[in-house]
Amino acid sequence: MLTAIRRLLMVVVSAFILLPSSLPAQQKPQPFDLIRWNDGKFVYGVDYYPEAWDESMWEEDAAIMQAAGINFVRLAEFAWAKMEPAEGQFDFAWLDRALKVLNAHGVKAVLGTPTASPPAWLYAKYPDIAAMDENGVRYRYGSRRNYCLHSPNFLAATRRIVTAMAEHYKNHPGVLGWQIDNELGDPNCYDPACRAAFQNWCRTKYKSLGALNKAWGTIFWGHTYSTWAQIPLPWNTLFKTYNPSLALDYHRFHSDSTHDYLKLQVDMLRKISPHKAITHNEMGMFDNVDYSRLNTALDFVAWDNYPMFGNQNYSEYMGPGLAHDLMRGSKNNQNFMVMEEEGGLPGWSVFWGRQAAPELYRVWSYQAVAHGADGVCYFRWRTSRYGTEQYWQGVLDQDSYPNSRYKIVAQTGKELAQLTGLLHGSKVVSQAALLVSPDSRWAFHIQPTVEGFDYNHQLHLYYDAFRRAGVNVDVVFPQEDFSAYKILVAPTLFVVDKPLVEKLTNFVKNGGILILTFRSGVKDEHNVVTDQTLPGPLAELAGIAIHEFDPRTNQEQQVIIHDGTAIPARTWFDILGPTTARSLGTYAKGYYAGKAAITQNRFGNGVVYYVGTELAPEYYDVGIRQVVGRLGIESGPKLPDGVELATREKDGKKILFLLNYTDKAQTISLGQPYRNALTGESEPADVQISAFDAKVLVGAGF
Ligand code: GLA
């Protein structure tokens, strides 16, 4: 009897243990298919503001859009005052008419919810909707994005306009979906509603003031809180100095608040118009929000790409490549679209940047596609005659003349239509990944550590080297699974928590190659400095102990590698004491000459490199080519400066994108002939590419 009961028990227990695998495999959400969504067409569009042009122009606009292969527009994201001219009174008749004209020319739309630019009457009636700066002054009416995310009056107004739009357009066949607001993320608001919301956020996170005081180390300067209401925001303090732990939580709070505001709109739209897709236009390297969390609420990612603007975030070498990959990585590497692709020279009150050769607009569109875009939409159809953006060129200028940019856009439109069958279902496949840590980025904003330190620059040093070697790179975020990659680079991983250390450890144990760099493992998740020997919880993995460092931004050091080469080094010098690691390079100068600067540690089945300093860029090329070569990752040919090679894959076969951003014709040795997917002609192994040109190449099988 006893044995029978025991056996029965065992059956029950083992059934329980086996339960997960005996259940049907969890359905993985299908990636959003932009081309299917757009009736099988590559999403090719312009951002259009019919409300700003005489209605008599709409018909011709739509006709010449169609002639340029345009099948998509984004509309209405700044038209709140026109759609709700007075509180609770709505007028969509003009938008209905515009949609009718556009739809008749085969152009479908995404509508922007217009909350980025609230009407004047709303400000006048509810002054508390305006965000407050850190000095306690509310922004005055006249710009945009100047609202408070926690203002009850603004939230009520948001609900009203979004509901009205969703009700009106929920069954409109010419409306494909929604864009929430416009470029969410700024400004930070310091008004009483935001402060109270931050205090609540802290209460939810820490549960007790004791836990918060401990986590933030408020013993320092006696900044101990005895009520939740005492907790400040990181605002205008003397010397602008804040508790770094409070400041990091404030960044997270702001990012969460942005997410919650977006989610408020998403939830309403999904309820009222469940069959329309939802996206948001983001800003690439912009980091006041954690896009990897924001994007969980969306169907697909869209972003605004201005290669000739904000170049500080882009590399000289290949412009917005990393921004594309980061945007793709912020939603599981799903294909995405560019909602605002540069269509002309950027400017507000002055022209910014350099004028680009018109052909470059085509090359940048192909670059977007090469990095995973299934849609490109130019900002804007026609340059505005009015307001702040009179100097921000659209595809057409104010005179509507079919200029050289229009011709290039039309050429690109025809080509992308021709390539749609080939592109549909293909995606970027990478074996290398770059870890972007929003916590580390924010912590470096709070304490740059050395003058002028730039986290994005550290990302680019490694990213650009992969790209120059013709190797695709995915961007991953700490909460994601990176076990599928062969090599992971985690530059300046300043803030780490236990789960991340565990994941990195398992990644290496299972055979992964991990590259860590200086200032890693310094802080815990509360932005508190570790009490372990640096690199803190990563020390065992890296097989090193760092007892000294030298932050010498301006002075040049050198690192001597095995063959005696002296590599210039700068920014920061971690002086490495190998425990289980071996030295790959030593410092040349100063009292620590001869001490290790770069190490390699075998750990489990994998290897960890620790690069304790910033090297001259060309040496990343050498190192990355060696490592990917050893890993059997296919790298590309030697590429001239200003030429990019990127690939998408379909059914295991590669589609090559050769992009020449330079004003010179170039020859690239691809090692085998390919077929030009546009001309159908064979291209020799030493392929020629003209100045400012893009080529799409396929091998046998396509
Ligand atoms: C951003 C915005 C657009 C426009 C352009 C140009 O990307 O989303 O509305 O303002 O910049 O300034």
Side-chain angles (χ1 to χ4, degrees):
M1 181 65 184
L2 211 62
T3 336
I5 292 175
R6 201 174 292 146
R7 208 170 288 144
L8 186 70
L9 258 175
M10 279 185 58
V11 170
V12 172
V13 169
S14 56
F16 185 70
I17 292 169
L18 288 174
L19 200 58
S21 55
S22 60
L23 280 173
Q26 242 204 341
Q27 287 279 309
K28 248 185 122 185
Q30 282 297 308
F32 188 85
D33 185 336
L34 277 130
I35 293 176
R36 198 169 58 204
W37 173 66
N38 193 34
D39 303 329
K41 289 179 265 181
F42 184 92
V43 182
Y44 197 60
V46 288
D47 301 305
Y48 185 43
Y49 301 89
E51 67 275 26
W53 303 96
D54 197 273
E55 201 163 330
S56 61
M57 297 169 74
W58 295 357
E59 176 61 35
E60 195 180 336
D61 275 347
I64 51 176
M65 282 180 198
Q66 189 175 24
I70 284 160
N71 53 48
F72 173 92
V73 282
R74 182 196 59 189
L75 301 174
E77 82 280 8
F78 296 118
W80 192 345
K82 189 140 175 84
M83 291 188 286
E84 190 183 2
E87 190 164 355
Q89 287 174 27
F90 299 100
D91 175 9
F92 296 113
W94 65 274
L95 188 52
D96 294 348
R97 291 196 301 278
L99 278 164
K100 200 167 168 203
V101 173
L102 291 159
N103 290 170
H105 286 276
V107 177
K108 292 204 173 177
V110 152
L111 301 183
T113 64
T115 44
S117 192
W121 59 257
L122 193 66
Y123 271 86
K125 184 158 182 194
Y126 305 108
D128 69 332
I129 70 165
M132 191 177 265
D133 72 13
E134 58 176 346
N135 300 309
V137 178
R138 287 201 191 274
Y139 293 106
R140 303 231 159 80
Y141 183 71
S143 185
R144 63 174 183 183
R145 299 223 44 72
N146 42 352
Y147 59 81
C148 164
L149 289 170
H150 290 282
S151 153
N153 285 323
F154 190 67
L155 297 180
T158 297
R159 282 193 199 95
R160 196 171 53 234
I161 183 67
V162 173
T163 304
M165 278 185 93
E167 286 292 354
H168 192 85
Y169 290 107
K170 63 184 174 194
N171 296 319
H172 196 302
V175 174
L176 288 172
W178 304 101
Q179 171 190 294
I180 306 287
D181 201 284
N182 191 83
E183 296 188 338
L184 286 165
D186 275 335
N188 288 17
C189 174
Y190 300 85
D191 83 342
C194 284
R195 185 177 177 197
F198 180 55
Q199 290 161 349
N200 278 337
W201 185 95
C202 291
R203 196 197 287 258
T204 308
K205 176 167 178 176
Y206 292 102
K207 315 276 185 298
S208 77
L209 274 171
L212 175 140
N213 280 316
K214 186 158 181 265
W216 286 5
T218 58
I219 193 67
F220 184 78
W221 284 352
H223 287 169
T224 306
Y225 304 108
S226 53
T227 66
W228 294 101
Q230 291 162 6
I231 296 172
L233 299 174
W235 46 26
N236 189 15
T237 60
L238 181 63
F239 307 130
K240 297 226 181 282
T241 178
Y242 325 108
N243 179 336
S245 305
L246 176 151
L248 180 57
D249 268 340
Y250 175 74
H251 273 286
R252 292 171 174 145
F253 158 76
H254 176 76
S255 185
D256 286 357
S257 301
T258 308
H259 167 270
D260 293 350
Y261 181 67
L262 172 132
K263 188 75 175 25
L264 170 89
Q265 297 200 21
V266 166
D267 288 348
M268 283 189 295
L269 292 169
R270 290 216 191 282
K271 200 161 158 222
I272 303 170
S273 71
H275 305 299
K276 304 229 181 275
I278 305 178
T279 189
H280 171 58
N281 58 331
E282 301 177 352
M283 291 180 279
M285 304 302 288
F286 172 84
D287 61 7
N288 211 20
V289 282
D290 175 353
Y291 284 134
S292 70
R293 295 191 190 277
L294 190 77
N295 293 341
T296 53
L298 302 176
D299 291 305
F300 65 90
V301 169
W303 82 283
D304 300 345
N305 177 29
Y306 294 99
M308 280 296 179
F309 171 62
N311 280 348
Q312 68 276 14
N313 279 333
Y314 300 152
S315 73
E316 279 287 308
Y317 165 59
M318 54 169 289
L322 173 54
H324 279 303
D325 291 341
L326 187 148
M327 290 279 74
R328 192 183 70 246
S330 68
K331 196 166 174 67
N332 310 320
N333 281 302
Q334 240 184 232
N335 287 7
F336 57 94
M337 75 169 284
V338 179
M339 193 58 92
E340 294 180 19
E341 177 72 38
E342 188 171 309
L345 178 63
W348 271 15
S349 50
V350 290
F351 286 112
W352 286 318
R354 286 162 290 146
Q355 184 62 278
E359 292 82 0
L360 271 173
Y361 297 109
R362 172 174 171 270
V363 184
W364 284 320
S365 294
Y366 276 107
Q367 182 189 32
V369 176
H371 287 256
D374 278 348
V376 174
C377 178
Y378 296 94
F379 184 87
R380 50 193 284 156
W381 172 237
R382 187 189 293 109
T383 315
S384 178
R385 295 185 58 206
Y386 316 112
T388 303
E389 297 190 356
Q390 292 169 324
Y391 292 172
W392 197 292
Q393 278 186 324
V395 174
L396 299 179
D397 287 312
Q398 288 92 341
D399 64 359
S400 302
Y401 177 75
N403 59 25
S404 50
R405 297 194 300 282
Y406 173 79
K407 287 182 187 132
I408 288 292
V409 165
Q411 178 193 341
T412 314
K414 289 199 187 80
E415 291 176 2
L416 286 168
Q418 188 190 328
L419 292 171
T420 305
L422 172 72
L423 295 174
H424 195 187
S426 69
K427 64 186 301 273
V428 176
V429 176
S430 315
Q431 293 177 298
L434 186 71
L435 181 69
V436 170
S437 154
D439 281 350
S440 297
R441 285 221 278 206
W442 288 328
F444 280 123
H445 283 317
I446 298 161
Q447 295 169 301
T449 306
V450 287
E451 205 76 39
F453 178 84
D454 178 6
Y455 182 77
N456 288 343
H457 170 70
Q458 299 302 319
L459 297 178
H460 268 297
L461 287 171
Y462 290 85
Y463 176 82
D464 290 3
F466 279 109
R467 303 296 332 187
R468 273 194 287 263
V471 174
N472 286 348
V473 183
D474 283 351
V475 168
V476 292
F477 291 82
Q479 72 275 18
E480 281 157 13
D481 178 16
F482 28 78
S483 60
Y485 297 100
K486 286 189 174 167
I487 177 166
L488 177 68
V489 187
T492 53
L493 193 56
F494 199 37
V495 176
V496 284
D497 60 10
K498 271 208 185 112
L500 180 56
V501 173
E502 252 167 51
K503 278 168 78 175
L504 293 173
T505 307
N506 288 334
F507 173 76
V508 181
K509 261 192 196 153
N510 294 331
I513 305 293
L514 173 66
I515 301 183
L516 296 170
T517 79
F518 62 95
R519 290 314 267 163
S520 287
V522 178
K523 304 272 201 131
D524 71 10
E525 68 271 32
H526 299 298
N527 211 5
V528 165
V529 176
T530 178
D531 58 3
Q532 300 170 41
T533 297
L534 292 175
L538 301 169
E540 195 193 338
L541 202 54
I544 53 171
I546 302 169
H547 294 289
E548 284 170 78
F549 48 70
D550 182 3
R552 290 196 305 171
T553 31
N554 298 323
Q555 272 166 296
E556 251 202 19
Q557 230 323 341
Q558 283 177 339
V559 173
I560 313 283
I561 55 169
H562 62 97
D563 63 0
T565 310
I567 304 177
R570 59 188 289 267
T571 304
W572 185 275
F573 311 120
D574 268 342
I575 302 162
L576 312 183
T579 50
T580 55
R582 72 185 182 102
S583 170
L584 296 182
T586 54
Y587 290 111
K589 299 181 181 175
Y591 77 92
Y592 48 91
K595 296 262 172 70
I598 305 172
T599 54
Q600 181 201 46
N601 190 42
R602 295 194 178 283
F603 189 94
N605 293 323
V607 177
V608 180
Y609 294 90
Y610 191 99
V611 185
T613 183
E614 180 182 326
L615 305 170
E618 56 272 27
Y619 292 94
Y620 293 93
D621 292 354
V622 179
I624 292 296
R625 272 210 188 257
Q626 272 176 9
V627 177
V628 298
R630 260 183 252 136
L631 284 170
I633 298 178
E634 196 187 327
S635 55
K638 188 163 173 27
L639 295 167
D641 271 355
V643 175
E644 183 185 350
L645 178 64
T647 58
R648 281 170 67 151
E649 272 183 40
K650 187 167 164 176
D651 308 326
K653 288 170 292 190
K654 285 201 166 83
I655 305 168
L656 280 69
F657 297 82
L658 197 56
L659 308 161
N660 181 5
Y661 307 106
T662 73
D663 58 2
K664 289 180 196 60
Q666 307 275 4
T667 305
I668 291 94
S669 301
L670 291 177
Q672 64 169 89
Y674 283 92
R675 184 166 54 80
N676 185 317
L678 277 169
T679 63
E681 281 161 19
S682 173
E683 297 271 0
D686 288 343
V687 62
Q688 310 250 327
I689 183 162
S690 318
F692 304 128
D693 194 10
K695 281 191 171 178
V696 182
L697 305 170
V698 289
F702 272 119

